[in-house]
Amino acid sequence: RNENEQGLVFIGLYAMIDPPRPGVPEAVGRCQSAGIKVVMVTGDHPVTAKAIAQKVGIIGPHSQTKEQVAQLKYDGNLDRVNDDEYDAIVVPGHLLQEKLDTEAEDPQGVADFWNNALNKDNVVFARTSPQQKLLIVSAVQERGGIVAVTGDGVNDSPALKKADIGVAMGITGTEVAKEAADMILLDDNFASIVNGVEEGRIIFDNLKKSIAYTLSSNIPEIAPFLLFQTAAIPLPLSTVMILLVDLGTDLAPAISMAYEGRESDIMSRKPRNPDREKLVTWRLVSFAYLQIGMLQAIAGFYAYFTVLNGFGFR
């Protein structure tokens, strides 16, 4: 003891814990079932980060890190562990920085490191700096990922700005983080993000339904006019009747599609590819025009010619 510690008596230790919010493990599970990968990037100690990640489900109950596999199979020899033998990784900030410092001499080695780390099912980065958080976001985006970042501090603001969508905490978040973010959580609850994802998928689904319903009426409306011009049949639908169909009977059902409830598998689907699965696709157009539109046109002509047959063409 030094002179400042003389006369002191050790009484005990007082430890505090900041437990995860209720509902977070369930929200993480819903993300994973929806094909959304949850990666923890924190400034906490690696041991603390791993414990929290296991508690909320970011690291699964049956997942193993490289260190665990080495202890179980190879007496702690990390060099003997193959990349496919473990599915969880905890990367401390100092190891990440050591690897990044070699990028000038070995760029392929750094790329291989990112590929190996980010392709694991369970990923945790601990003791990270603001620059490292930014580099992690950039690495995921370079590999085709759509990145959402949550944060509340000044240190998170570069990553929030770089992400495709930055989500700041509304209660505990700093003004700098809120300015950098695209969205602010009023209740600081991760589960609200998952609810937002579900609502977004519902809206996207319902918009596609409404567009398909609206487009499907074009074929049965234009086909009678084409036959009137080419085959000289009596005009089945006049301009006023087409307006009555579009404004009188099509408008309300098309709007009602926006209030459709969720599909049972909406949170079990994988995220859509934004380059291929757009709001209006050739598949939707062919479904509306060539399938539903043709069926409606055939049914309409059947009724039309049945009436003409019963009452005559003149």
Side-chain angles (χ1 to χ4, degrees), residues 43-224:
D44 292 338
H45 190 276
V47 176
T48 304
K50 181 181 177 183
I52 295 297
Q54 289 174 329
K55 183 172 289 187
V56 300
I58 294 176
I59 295 181
H62 304 294
S63 299
Q64 291 182 323
T65 63
K66 186 175 184 178
E67 293 75 14
Q68 289 174 312
V69 174
Q71 289 293 336
L72 290 172
K73 294 184 177 181
Y74 307 112
D75 296 326
N77 189 348
L78 294 174
D79 295 333
R80 297 177 60 188
V81 181
N82 296 321
D83 289 340
D84 58 354
E85 291 186 83
Y86 61 98
D87 57 357
I89 187 169
V90 180
V91 184
H94 65 90
L95 292 180
L96 175 60
Q97 192 59 49
E98 289 176 7
K99 180 59 69 174
L100 294 176
D101 290 341
T102 65
E103 186 169 14
E105 297 81 14
D106 186 17
Q108 186 58 46
V110 175
D112 292 340
F113 164 77
W114 283 122
N115 292 334
N116 177 57
L118 297 176
N119 285 332
K120 296 299 180 185
D121 295 332
N122 311 270
V123 185
V124 174
F125 293 92
R127 285 286 191 225
T128 52
S129 65
Q131 182 187 12
Q132 290 172 342
K133 294 178 181 179
L134 180 62
L135 292 174
I136 292 168
V137 173
S138 299
V140 177
Q141 290 175 329
E142 288 170 2
R143 284 150 183 81
I146 305 297
V147 184
V149 172
T150 63
D152 58 2
V154 176
N155 293 340
D156 301 320
S157 57
L160 288 169
K161 192 72 174 177
K162 177 65 175 175
D164 295 284
I165 176 168
V167 184
M169 303 296 116
I171 300 175
T172 60
T174 62
E175 290 302 319
V176 175
K178 293 178 183 178
E179 288 293 329
D182 303 291
M183 183 172 71
I184 298 174
L185 283 183
L186 298 179
D187 58 358
D188 287 11
N189 193 346
F190 179 78
S192 299
I193 300 176
V194 185
N195 294 333
V197 171
E198 181 178 355
E199 289 297 323
R201 291 187 175 190
I202 293 173
I203 291 171
F204 189 84
D205 265 10
N206 290 347
L207 280 174
K208 289 181 76 73
K209 294 174 185 176
S210 182
I211 292 171
Y213 176 81
T214 304
L215 292 178
S216 66
S217 63
N218 290 344
I219 294 296
E221 286 175 350
I222 197 172

Side-chain angles (χ1 to χ4, degrees), residues 233-288:
I233 67 170
L235 183 61
L237 286 176
S238 64
T239 305
V240 175
M241 293 174 69
I242 291 175
L243 286 175
L244 288 175
V245 170
D246 288 340
L247 301 179
T249 62
D250 266 8
L251 194 59
I255 294 174
S256 70
M257 293 285 184
Y259 298 94
E260 280 280 301
R262 64 190 293 272
E263 302 291 340
S264 59
D265 65 337
I266 196 161
M267 290 302 285
S268 301
R269 307 174 191 168
K270 299 300 180 184
R272 64 183 180 88
N273 187 331
D275 296 327
R276 292 189 293 105
E277 301 175 43
K278 300 183 183 297
L279 189 60
V280 179
T281 61
W282 283 111
R283 182 180 179 183
L284 184 143
V285 171
S286 65
F287 172 77

